[in-house]
Amino acid sequence: MFKKKPICEVCGNNEATAFSFIVRDSDSFEGDWKFVCECTAEKEDYYILIQSFFSRPPAAVDWLAHMHEKSWMDWKNFMEMIYRFRSATDSFGAL
């Protein structure tokens, strides 16, 4: 699917399989989006399987629309993760 396999941003050992939202502050529900493997299964508050997100163009559109409905969604943080993912997978110039 990508030129390079994304490596988990948390453990640094395994291929990332999900975009995961991990809450830093439970009172404000502030957190960080990371691309991760199973190592965060007990820590994440929301996740999107990478394979599901990129399975077809309509799936990506549907996920984005679905996430827009979440009042806690931090788009700046999500897009910063997407930029890191783009670099990690060498996905430049694919337009």
Side-chain angles (χ1 to χ4, degrees), residues 28-46:
S28 65
F29 208 67
E30 289 182 14
D32 296 301
W33 281 97
K34 297 186 179 293
F35 48 95
V36 300
C37 68
E38 291 293 319
C39 75
T40 61
E42 301 293 323
K43 303 173 192 172
E44 61 197 11
D45 293 276
Y46 197 89

Side-chain angles (χ1 to χ4, degrees), residues 38-83:
E38 291 293 319
C39 75
T40 61
E42 301 293 323
K43 303 173 192 172
E44 61 197 11
D45 293 276
Y46 197 89
Y47 69 93
I48 302 169
L49 294 176
I50 292 170
Q51 186 173 3
S52 174
F53 189 89
F54 291 112
S55 64
R56 302 177 333 276
V61 170
D62 202 26
W63 268 113
L64 293 171
H66 174 73
M67 296 310 296
H68 181 71
E69 297 171 349
K70 306 294 183 193
S71 61
W72 51 265
M73 181 59 174
D74 181 344
W75 286 105
K76 182 178 184 311
N77 191 272
F78 182 81
M79 292 308 298
E80 287 169 350
M81 179 216 43
I82 291 294
Y83 269 81

